Amino acid sequence: MAALTLIEAVTLALASEMARDERVIVLGEDVGVNGGVFRATAGLQQRFGAERVQDTPLAEAMIAGVSVGMAAHGMLPVAEIQFDGFVFPAIDQIINHAARLRTRTRGRLHCPMVLRVPYGGGIHAPEHHSDSPEALFAHMPGVRVVIPSSPARAYGLLLAAIRDPDPVIFFEPKRIYRLQKQEVADSGEALALDVCYTLRDGDDVTVVTWGAMTYETLKAADRLATEGIGCEVIDVATLSPLDADTIIESVEKTGRLVIVHEAPRSFGAGAEIAAVVAERAIYSLRAPIQRVTGYDTIMPLFRLEMEYMPGVERVISGIRATLKD
Amino acid sequence: MAALTLIEAVTLALASEMARDERVIVLGEDVGVNGGVFRATAGLQQRFGAERVQDTPLAEAMIAGVSVGMAAHGMLPVAEIQFDGFVFPAIDQIINHAARLRTRTRGRLHCPMVLRVPYGGGIHAPEHHSDSPEALFAHMPGVRVVIPSSPARAYGLLLAAIRDPDPVIFFEPKRIYRLQKQEVADSGEALALDVCYTLRDGDDVTVVTWGAMTYETLKAADRLATEGIGCEVIDVATLSPLDADTIIESVEKTGRLVIVHEAPRSFGAGAEIAAVVAERAIYSLRAPIQRVTGYDTIMPLFRLEMEYMPGVERVISGIRATLKD
Amino acid sequence: METIADFEIKYSQFLDPEGEPQETLPAFARDPEELRAMYRSMLLTRIFDAKAVNLQRTGKLGTYASCLGHEASHVGIGAAMRPEDCLAPSYREYGTMLWRGVGMHEILLYWGGDERGSDFAGPRHDFPFCVPIATQCLHAAGAAMAYKLRGEPRCAVSVNGDGGTSEGAFYEALNMAGAKQLPVVFMVINNKWAISVPLELQTASRTLAQKAVAAGIPGLQVDGNDVIAVRHWVERALERGRNGEGPTLIEALTYRLSDHTTADDASRYRKREEVEAARKLEPLIRLRRYMNAQGIWDDKQEEALTRECIAAVDKAVERYVNTARAPVTAMFDYLFAELPASLREQREQAIRLDGNGAGH
Amino acid sequence: METIADFEIKYSQFLDPEGEPQETLPAFARDPEELRAMYRSMLLTRIFDAKAVNLQRTGKLGTYASCLGHEASHVGIGAAMRPEDCLAPSYREYGTMLWRGVGMHEILLYWGGDERGSDFAGPRHDFPFCVPIATQCLHAAGAAMAYKLRGEPRCAVSVNGDGGTSEGAFYEALNMAGAKQLPVVFMVINNKWAISVPLELQTASRTLAQKAVAAGIPGLQVDGNDVIAVRHWVERALERGRNGEGPTLIEALTYRLSDHTTADDASRYRKREEVEAARKLEPLIRLRRYMNAQGIWDDKQEEALTRECIAAVDKAVERYVNTARAPVTAMFDYLFAELPASLREQREQAIRLDGNGAGH
Ligand SMILES: Cc1ncc(C[n+]2csc(CCOP(=O)(O)OP(=O)(O)O)c2C)c(N)n1
Ligand SMILES: Cc1ncc(C[n+]2csc(CCOP(=O)(O)OP(=O)(O)O)c2C)c(N)n1
Ligand SMILES: [Mg+2]
Ligand SMILES: [Mg+2]
């Protein structure tokens, strides 16, 4: 058992599953000798060789499409897209193929691939390196969208993603890659997909979030706790398919809902959560739902990025707004 | 003034604006001699020549990217993507470039392009020819998503889209391309973007929809009218940026909201509408919001497609459900 | 200036349009059984194809993409491949698929709007039809990567058209396969048209085989109406792949004698004379002529085979038209290995509404 | 088998690493003023580049992509282009941009996280830096299409790296430009590395110039450390474009002497010896040697020029560091030509929260 950062937990999960199952193949740009631009695959090529940890040519549609082909033919590819802003050329292969290979062939072929995508802002990165495109993938039936928010969940959810017989888009919140260490045992035990994780219990308001925003949200909850306000903080973890039940249950208890995400608000993933609650738990709501999100603008270059991203203050005002009524 | 189908209105708008403004260039696969696989560009090459109506090589990322380049350099490209299922390779150019050229250059360059995309099911088309991916584009700040639902709106909104100085994704509901004729004058008058169109007034329930589903919705409203139930039917028309005000106002009047769309429900565009209402008009709601949508599955091949798509019966039950409370 | 690299693109034809051998035939082509088997497959494909077009015209099939004229290219690929190799087709390669064991009724099911057509009996590892142009090239490269990693002596074969060579995915696949020396064969069926777009508007490239140069892999052009040339060179390319010598691009020159699909009207954009000229080069005639000349095929055999093929096609059509619609639950039951809890309610709804005017 | 097409790829170098002419120099290179202007630009670029790396190291700049070693390739392109031509760069071509009139402080603003850096004074029609690899090739093709349609004698030039030649967008642009005979020049700066991926893993293609063959357009390789070769061949390619003779692909062979960016540590993946060997071929030395030998440049001039460049860089740095952050409203005000009503509230919120711990 060792204290690991989130990215170290990713590396550990990869190494662990590669050792356990030789069908697991890591591929992507710079994942080999260099160990990935974030070092998520550091040491893997040395340990498992250049066939199992492959540097690919620079082409994201290719990385996704080749992964589909490998996955359909008995391998378990875990592909890395270098940054959020470069995942878009891969969308065609994900939506038209990975997501529907099982449906199209009535189960004759399926596509057990994982596409790892470091995402989000807050690290003062260059242009096109700070996007949060999770909502696009969440709207694709047939793929799972999984987002860890702690080292332990990164380890357990990535194992689950690799073992899952269907495609998983695994968004890694790069802003918290190295934020905190947590004891993570290399137990080989996967965590459950398709369920939310309740990070903190509370009776006054339900706050639903994922990725790096869990940190801002937990900090806000801490602050509000000193005022006697109890926030129930739910990390969605698997964004799609969504475990609405856990959220509904919580809202039925608290009567208030705040959703926090970094991506632009409109047509973002928070909208689905709000919609589900408006459909299934409207009579429990004692105040309007609040979304605390990025603005409906282009993620700015880094001098303005912290003005773009929801921070503790914005989360707190969102929560307070629901408590007014 | 002539009675035109929706697709004829598209052709008319293209011809009209090409005649008025020589910067307008039509490009895409088979748009030339063949006049487009749906015949939306029929006759245009004969009239305006092969430079202004260009058959391109078969590559959607290219079509989008070349359009960005042309648009940044003084032309007004109107590109056709042949079918919904083939728009995905173009996403990278749309989200990373078209949507943000103005922002990135602080207005030095901008991108007045239109991407026309016939979309949706119900025409017994082959695989990958019946998708409804509008929500993906609606979540991209910096592009407009416009969807006409009648010949007159097709004409007026397409003119507006071409004249708009920013990129517009113009989704054309192919199922109603030839469903009904309507008198459309070649007035050269654009309709307003960024506003909803209220197609029918009613006091009992607000039904928000777009594209081909306006027909199912209007039929449902007709049927319910015979029972004395008044549906206010709103065609969103510009999905993004969304004119929430019109919807809110209507919900404030009716107290009930049903959203109808063909795309899969979860993380679909309907979620945003539900979310906005849950935020801004929750106290007006007298019943849970209902979404009547495609299922969260892959759009099936055509033998099952009518079981997938919301039809009049499903719309009616959705409306009835909100009237129960 | 010095020349630092040079390339040449070769062309191969064994039988000319008159059925005259132009070179010494490869061994398989000297075996009458082999020739008859390929001829049988081409004829069956043609009869099947005509029937399918007919079914569409009479409202019994959805939009259908005819393969008229492509029989030699398609059957040649099928005959060259081994069962354990993997096919990643586009949407037109019935000749290849039938040779490999896909049922005619399964092809009809697919174009009849039923996913079960892609759950075919043929090689269970083959990819299904692929409509998004050139995306299948990457799947073939991926399958080839799997074989290479496991050390299996197998190859993947992707097939796309002339239009498909304009898509980024095509080049990305070639380049990847070259960089990794994957056991894959990229077939480009150059039938001169991509719907209404003629080759000259598609690319300035004189041949499509030369696109291999960009990836540093061998490329060659064959007469795609000569089943012997197609089979021979695909066999050689597959051998190269199995021997670890990497990928090959083969351009098969043929002509789309039909409309693009039944939804298309080619008379809008191409001249009848062009089609008539191309018809003279079509693949069945020349093989029959050659076999006739060799005394290994006669009119009686032709007649018997035609009857046999028609009977087989009719049987498949019957099976197709008698296949009941799949249950609505099928939409849900193959989305994931297990139905997520969140979808149970939608599944119930679909069952409840089935046939009940749901989408109508 | 007959050969139906053949191709050769040529290589051009005027000045060898010792500064010895290998061929008769083009006219511009016989004009001392021209040589000194290019040398000045290369030296300014180098001094600017070193300073930028330094600013990053001291926390005054974000991640920065050094152009060390690329000066001849970049300045050669700039010197060949006319102001009315259009540049579609990647993220490294400071030499080209400075030549064309972009301010050094603007480049710094960009890497300092401020969009105003892309609102540069230089040619207002040039595209901004482009990070998504190879996507800019399509923009150049689009701009070229606009020029062609309007009959303007202008060309577009896109620049990408060796790694960029693996992206589908690169090939799609080449093919489109070939099919339409667009006035565009595709520059591939082959610096041997794409971050940690060496050329051998990127492609099996022996040269990157031969990728032109796939599009049926001319391709050629030049010594990218020889500013004369780069400028000469880019000029020729631009002339071809302006004369309606279509696109050209030029591969400039150089070497990335720096880390990929300041966020990279190249010692993890490449040998010091390789870098040392490459350093001997770098572009400034050879032009200086040649100019020295010609008696048109001496140490005193070198010293004066160095001082002048340092002063210019310092001034730009000062201007950069003194540029106040843009207002938060900037996020909203350039999204569309006019702010949509739906965004007004968000804009108000951003103003209200500005600096108020919003994202902190
Ligand atoms: C990505 C994509 N874009 C567009 C289409 C629509 N489409 C179907 S077939 C076709 C032409 C294909 O031409 P070619 O590659 O030459 O193959 P052929 O049909 O001639 O066999 C087009 C444009 C598609 N299926 N996929
Ligand atoms: C589409 C895309 N994928 C990945 C990246 C991340 N990335 C930035 S630079 C780079 C390597 C580029 O190599 P090359 O094209 O040779 O250009 P160089 O940096 O050597 O100038 C990569 C992978 C990116 N910017 N865009
Ligand atoms: Mg074709
Ligand atoms: Mg490079």
Side-chain angles (χ1 to χ4, degrees):
Chain A
M1 189 113 129
L4 301 182
T5 60
L6 196 156
I7 192 164
E8 288 165 347
V10 165
T11 314
L12 184 66
L14 291 172
S16 178
E17 200 60 8
M18 290 188 79
R20 215 184 63 88
D21 190 337
E22 61 177 18
R23 296 171 303 167
V24 178
I25 303 293
V26 165
L27 70 160
E29 296 157 10
D30 305 291
V31 299
V33 182
N34 196 40
V37 293
F38 286 105
R39 328 272 312 119
T41 57
L44 296 181
Q45 190 178 71
Q46 286 91 316
R47 179 161 166 208
F48 297 101
E51 295 231 297
R52 295 197 56 204
V53 183
Q54 297 205 17
D55 279 324
T56 63
L58 206 175
E60 290 74 14
M62 179 278 286
I63 291 171
V66 162
S67 295
V68 170
M70 289 170 73
H73 281 257
M75 308 308 284
L76 300 175
V78 183
E80 177 175 300
I81 296 292
Q82 205 158 74
F83 282 90
D84 37 71
F86 314 133
V87 75
F88 305 114
I91 282 187
D92 185 38
Q93 284 288 340
I94 299 301
I95 194 168
N96 272 337
H97 292 296
R100 44 187 105 183
L101 191 57
R102 186 187 288 278
T103 290
R104 297 177 63 222
T105 63
R106 289 296 181 249
R108 181 170 63 80
L109 298 174
H110 66 288
C111 190
M113 66 181 274
V114 176
L115 197 73
R116 294 181 41 247
V117 189
Y119 88 108
I123 64 160
H124 279 212
E127 207 172 9
H128 296 284
H129 285 68
S130 302
D131 279 19
S132 296
E134 68 271 22
L136 272 52
F137 293 89
H139 187 50
M140 301 179 190
V143 292
R144 282 188 161 74
V145 176
V146 176
I147 310 180
S149 71
S150 75
R153 278 190 298 284
Y155 177 84
L157 292 173
L158 183 50
L159 286 189
I162 301 174
R163 291 175 196 170
D164 191 84
D166 292 301
V168 176
I169 315 298
F170 196 80
F171 281 104
E172 298 172 3
K174 62 173 104 91
R175 188 180 176 196
I176 59 171
Y177 258 160
R178 299 186 168 83
L179 191 68
Q180 279 186 356
K181 292 202 175 204
Q182 187 182 15
E183 296 291 322
V184 180
D186 189 7
S187 63
E189 272 169 43
L191 284 170
L193 299 177
D194 300 0
V195 295
C196 295
Y197 289 78
T198 301
L199 304 186
R200 181 188 178 112
D201 294 320
D203 290 326
D204 299 318
V205 55
T206 301
V207 192
V208 176
T209 187
W210 54 89
M213 283 296 130
T214 51
Y215 279 79
E216 311 305 300
T217 303
L218 288 169
K219 272 188 267 174
D222 278 346
R223 290 254 298 273
L224 290 166
T226 65
E227 301 176 24
I229 297 167
C231 298
E232 181 137 308
V233 177
I234 296 178
D235 173 6
V236 171
T238 299
L239 194 57
S240 173
L242 180 70
D243 165 19
D245 293 346
T246 300
I247 297 168
I248 300 284
E249 239 172 70
S250 175
V251 172
E252 279 165 357
K253 176 175 72 174
T254 63
R256 296 182 157 85
L257 174 63
V258 177
I259 302 154
V260 183
H261 65 67
E262 204 179 307
R265 168 170 320 174
S266 291
F267 305 92
E272 177 61 26
I273 294 165
V276 164
V277 170
E279 280 159 6
R280 292 180 46 193
I282 198 162
Y283 297 119
S284 306
L285 282 174
R286 277 180 281 160
I289 296 171
Q290 292 284 330
R291 283 182 288 170
V292 178
T293 68
Y295 297 117
D296 287 329
T297 66
I298 306 305
M299 174 58 152
L301 290 189
F302 67 78
R303 270 186 100 176
L304 280 172
E305 73 175 332
M306 298 317 276
E307 307 307 322
Y308 174 89
M309 307 220 301
V312 178
E313 296 305 331
R314 257 152 85 181
V315 177
I316 288 176
S317 20
I319 295 172
R320 283 200 206 285
T322 65
L323 292 165
K324 274 196 321 226
D325 295 81
Chain B
M1 189 114 129
L4 300 183
T5 60
L6 197 156
I7 193 165
E8 288 165 348
V10 166
T11 313
L12 184 66
L14 291 171
S16 178
E17 200 61 8
M18 289 188 80
R20 213 184 64 87
D21 189 336
E22 62 176 17
R23 296 171 303 165
V24 178
I25 303 292
V26 164
L27 70 160
E29 297 157 9
D30 304 290
V31 299
V33 182
N34 196 39
V37 293
F38 286 104
R39 327 271 315 119
T41 57
L44 296 181
Q45 192 179 70
Q46 286 91 314
R47 177 158 168 209
F48 297 102
E51 295 231 298
R52 294 196 57 206
V53 183
Q54 297 204 18
D55 279 323
T56 63
L58 206 175
E60 290 74 15
M62 180 277 286
I63 291 171
V66 162
S67 295
V68 169
M70 289 170 74
H73 281 258
M75 308 307 285
L76 300 175
V78 183
E80 176 175 301
I81 296 292
Q82 205 158 73
F83 282 90
D84 37 70
F86 314 132
V87 74
F88 305 114
I91 282 187
D92 185 39
Q93 285 288 341
I94 300 300
I95 193 167
N96 271 336
H97 292 295
R100 46 187 105 183
L101 191 57
R102 186 187 289 276
T103 290
R104 296 177 63 222
T105 63
R106 288 297 181 248
R108 181 171 62 81
L109 298 175
H110 66 289
C111 191
M113 66 180 274
V114 176
L115 198 72
R116 294 181 41 246
V117 188
Y119 87 109
I123 63 159
H124 280 212
E127 208 172 10
H128 296 284
H129 285 69
S130 303
D131 278 19
S132 296
E134 68 272 20
L136 271 53
F137 293 88
H139 187 51
M140 300 179 189
V143 292
R144 282 188 160 75
V145 176
V146 176
I147 309 180
S149 71
S150 74
R153 278 190 297 284
Y155 177 84
L157 291 173
L158 184 49
L159 285 189
I162 300 174
R163 292 175 196 170
D164 191 85
D166 292 303
V168 176
I169 315 298
F170 196 80
F171 281 104
E172 298 172 5
K174 62 172 104 89
R175 188 182 176 195
I176 57 170
Y177 259 161
R178 299 186 166 83
L179 191 67
Q180 279 186 355
K181 291 201 176 207
Q182 186 181 16
E183 295 292 319
V184 180
D186 188 9
S187 63
E189 273 169 43
L191 284 171
L193 298 176
D194 301 1
V195 296
C196 295
Y197 289 79
T198 301
L199 305 187
R200 181 189 180 111
D201 295 319
D203 289 327
D204 299 317
V205 55
T206 301
V207 192
V208 175
T209 188
W210 55 89
M213 283 297 130
T214 52
Y215 280 80
E216 311 304 301
T217 303
L218 288 170
K219 273 188 267 174
D222 279 346
R223 288 255 298 273
L224 290 167
T226 64
E227 301 175 24
I229 298 167
C231 298
E232 182 138 309
V233 177
I234 296 179
D235 173 7
V236 171
T238 298
L239 194 57
S240 173
L242 180 69
D243 166 19
D245 292 346
T246 299
I247 296 169
I248 301 283
E249 239 172 72
S250 175
V251 171
E252 279 166 358
K253 175 176 74 174
T254 63
R256 296 183 158 84
L257 174 63
V258 177
I259 302 154
V260 183
H261 64 66
E262 204 178 307
R265 167 171 320 175
S266 291
F267 304 93
E272 177 61 26
I273 293 165
V276 165
V277 170
E279 282 159 5
R280 293 179 46 194
I282 196 162
Y283 297 120
S284 306
L285 281 175
R286 278 181 278 159
I289 295 171
Q290 292 283 331
R291 283 182 287 170
V292 178
T293 67
Y295 297 117
D296 287 329
T297 66
I298 306 305
M299 174 60 153
L301 290 188
F302 66 78
R303 270 187 100 175
L304 280 173
E305 75 175 329
M306 298 317 277
E307 306 308 321
Y308 174 90
M309 307 220 302
V312 179
E313 295 305 329
R314 259 152 86 181
V315 177
I316 288 177
S317 19
I319 294 172
R320 283 199 207 285
T322 65
L323 293 165
K324 273 195 326 228
D325 295 82
Chain C
M1 289 186 91
E2 80 191 280
T3 297
I4 49 165
D6 52 60
F7 310 95
E8 44 178 42
I9 299 299
K10 302 216 158 166
Y11 171 83
S12 169
Q13 178 194 63
F14 286 96
L15 287 187
D16 78 2
E18 266 60 55
E20 296 291 343
Q22 305 296 303
E23 308 221 12
T24 318
L25 298 193
F28 72 79
R30 293 192 299 261
D31 176 345
E33 273 317 308
E34 293 277 8
L35 293 182
R36 283 193 289 254
M38 292 192 292
Y39 184 73
R40 179 189 182 284
S41 191
M42 294 203 292
L43 188 64
L44 178 66
T45 302
R46 179 160 296 178
I47 290 172
F48 167 77
D49 188 69
K51 184 71 180 187
V53 171
N54 209 265
L55 287 172
Q56 192 282 333
R57 300 281 182 237
T58 54
K60 295 204 192 77
L61 197 67
T63 300
Y64 171 80
S66 164
C67 69
L68 188 67
H70 304 73
E71 297 86 352
S73 293
H74 294 166
V75 169
I77 295 168
M81 291 175 72
R82 296 188 188 161
E84 68 270 24
D85 292 333
C86 169
L87 179 70
S90 77
Y91 40 80
R92 217 188 269 289
E93 294 78 23
Y94 317 120
T96 321
M97 294 170 82
L98 293 180
W99 183 285
R100 286 178 67 68
V102 176
M104 287 183 280
H105 71 286
E106 290 164 334
I107 296 172
L108 294 173
L109 273 177
Y110 177 81
W111 292 108
D114 190 325
E115 285 84 353
R116 288 171 297 182
S118 292
D119 185 17
F120 45 65
R124 299 286 290 168
H125 55 267
D126 277 7
F127 287 97
F129 287 111
C130 181
V131 166
I133 302 286
T135 54
Q136 73 273 26
C137 302
L138 292 166
H139 306 159
M145 174 69 85
Y147 304 154
K148 184 175 173 166
L149 287 169
R150 292 195 297 260
E152 296 170 358
R154 300 164 72 182
C155 280
V157 178
S158 75
V159 189
N160 64 265
D162 43 302
T165 66
S166 294
E167 286 279 6
F170 170 77
Y171 299 98
E172 290 187 359
L174 259 62
N175 188 61
M176 167 70 171
K180 304 279 182 182
Q181 291 294 296
L182 300 178
V184 54
V185 180
F186 299 104
M187 293 298 307
V188 172
I189 311 296
N190 179 354
N191 64 9
K192 309 282 175 25
W193 291 89
I195 310 187
S196 72
V197 179
L199 192 60
E200 318 80 80
L201 292 185
Q202 196 66 246
T203 185
S205 183
R206 272 183 282 166
T207 70
L208 300 177
Q210 78 198 53
K211 300 207 174 232
V213 172
I217 69 174
L220 132 120
Q221 191 186 64
V222 302
D223 184 338
N225 291 337
D226 173 9
V227 70
I228 296 173
V230 175
R231 171 164 168 180
H232 176 68
W233 291 107
V234 177
E235 273 181 357
R236 296 281 289 264
L238 289 167
E239 259 165 53
R240 290 189 71 246
R242 285 194 202 95
N243 293 339
E245 294 166 62
T248 309
L249 172 67
I250 299 177
E251 173 189 8
L253 267 185
T254 180
Y255 192 86
R256 195 192 81 209
L257 290 169
S258 64
D259 292 336
H260 170 66
T261 64
T262 52
D264 176 49
D265 174 6
S267 72
R268 276 210 291 263
Y269 53 77
R270 66 180 186 184
K271 297 230 166 62
R272 196 167 19 158
E273 300 83 72
E274 180 184 309
V275 183
E276 287 317 317
R279 206 181 297 277
K280 300 213 175 79
L281 309 175
E282 71 90 17
L284 271 71
I285 300 177
R286 82 173 70 176
L287 183 57
R288 194 164 58 228
R289 277 186 185 147
Y290 175 72
M291 293 198 303
N292 287 342
Q294 296 290 307
I296 58 174
W297 194 252
D298 61 25
D299 288 359
K300 249 181 60 192
Q301 282 168 301
E302 177 80 13
E303 245 173 68
L305 177 62
T306 306
R307 268 197 312 273
E308 178 203 323
C309 291
I310 292 174
V313 168
D314 285 347
K315 217 171 118 188
V317 170
E318 201 183 313
R319 186 159 171 198
Y320 159 67
V321 296
N322 289 325
T323 304
R325 201 206 69 185
V328 285
T329 48
M331 285 193 262
F332 297 88
D333 294 347
Y334 302 97
L335 188 62
F336 294 110
E338 270 180 65
L339 189 75
S342 60
L343 271 172
R344 272 185 222 139
E345 209 183 297
Q346 291 188 17
R347 188 174 181 278
E348 291 310 310
Q349 190 194 353
I351 295 171
R352 217 166 48 240
L353 293 174
D354 186 10
N356 189 20
H360 306 277
Chain D
M1 290 183 91
E2 80 191 279
T3 296
I4 48 165
D6 52 60
F7 311 94
E8 44 179 42
I9 299 299
K10 303 215 159 170
Y11 171 83
S12 169
Q13 179 193 62
F14 286 96
L15 288 187
D16 77 2
E18 267 61 54
E20 297 291 345
Q22 305 297 301
E23 310 222 11
T24 319
L25 298 193
F28 71 80
R30 293 192 299 262
D31 177 347
E33 273 318 306
E34 293 277 7
L35 291 182
R36 284 193 289 256
M38 292 192 291
Y39 185 73
R40 179 189 181 284
S41 191
M42 294 204 290
L43 188 64
L44 178 66
T45 302
R46 180 161 296 180
I47 290 172
F48 166 78
D49 188 69
K51 184 69 179 187
V53 170
N54 209 265
L55 287 171
Q56 191 282 333
R57 300 281 183 235
T58 55
K60 295 203 192 76
L61 197 67
T63 300
Y64 171 80
S66 165
C67 70
L68 188 67
H70 305 71
E71 297 86 354
S73 293
H74 294 166
V75 169
I77 297 167
M81 290 174 72
R82 296 188 189 160
E84 69 269 24
D85 294 331
C86 169
L87 180 69
S90 77
Y91 40 80
R92 218 188 269 288
E93 293 79 24
Y94 317 121
T96 320
M97 294 170 81
L98 294 179
W99 184 285
R100 287 178 66 69
V102 176
M104 288 184 279
H105 71 285
E106 290 164 333
I107 296 172
L108 293 172
L109 273 177
Y110 177 81
W111 292 108
D114 190 326
E115 285 84 353
R116 289 172 297 183
S118 292
D119 185 16
F120 45 66
R124 300 285 290 168
H125 56 268
D126 277 7
F127 287 97
F129 287 113
C130 182
V131 167
I133 303 286
T135 54
Q136 72 273 25
C137 302
L138 291 166
H139 306 159
M145 174 70 85
Y147 304 155
K148 182 173 175 167
L149 287 169
R150 292 195 297 260
E152 296 170 359
R154 299 164 71 182
C155 280
V157 178
S158 75
V159 189
N160 64 264
D162 43 302
T165 66
S166 294
E167 286 280 5
F170 170 77
Y171 299 98
E172 291 187 359
L174 260 61
N175 188 63
M176 167 71 172
K180 304 277 182 183
Q181 291 296 295
L182 300 178
V184 53
V185 180
F186 299 105
M187 293 299 307
V188 172
I189 310 297
N190 178 356
N191 64 10
K192 309 282 174 24
W193 291 89
I195 309 187
S196 72
V197 179
L199 192 60
E200 317 81 80
L201 292 185
Q202 195 67 245
T203 185
S205 183
R206 272 183 283 167
T207 69
L208 300 178
Q210 78 198 52
K211 300 206 175 233
V213 172
I217 69 174
L220 133 119
Q221 191 186 64
V222 302
D223 184 338
N225 291 337
D226 174 8
V227 71
I228 296 173
V230 175
R231 172 166 168 178
H232 175 68
W233 291 108
V234 177
E235 273 181 355
R236 295 282 289 263
L238 289 167
E239 260 165 52
R240 289 190 71 245
R242 285 193 202 96
N243 293 338
E245 294 165 61
T248 309
L249 172 67
I250 298 177
E251 173 189 8
L253 266 184
T254 180
Y255 192 87
R256 195 192 79 209
L257 289 169
S258 64
D259 292 337
H260 170 66
T261 65
T262 51
D264 176 49
D265 174 5
S267 71
R268 276 210 291 263
Y269 53 78
R270 65 180 187 184
K271 296 232 168 60
R272 203 186 350 179
E273 301 83 68
E274 180 184 309
V275 183
E276 287 319 316
R279 209 181 297 278
K280 300 213 175 78
L281 309 176
E282 71 90 20
L284 271 72
I285 300 177
R286 81 174 69 177
L287 182 57
R288 194 163 59 228
R289 279 186 183 144
Y290 176 73
M291 293 198 302
N292 287 341
Q294 296 291 306
I296 58 174
W297 194 251
D298 61 25
D299 287 0
K300 249 181 60 192
Q301 282 167 300
E302 177 80 13
E303 244 173 67
L305 177 63
T306 306
R307 268 197 312 273
E308 178 204 321
C309 290
I310 291 174
V313 168
D314 286 346
K315 216 171 117 189
V317 170
E318 202 184 311
R319 184 159 171 198
Y320 158 67
V321 296
N322 288 325
T323 305
R325 200 206 69 183
V328 286
T329 47
M331 284 194 262
F332 297 87
D333 294 347
Y334 302 96
L335 189 61
F336 293 109
E338 269 179 67
L339 189 75
S342 60
L343 270 171
R344 274 186 221 138
E345 209 183 296
Q346 291 188 18
R347 187 173 181 276
E348 291 310 310
Q349 188 192 356
I351 296 171
R352 216 165 50 238
L353 293 174
D354 186 10
N356 189 19
H360 306 280

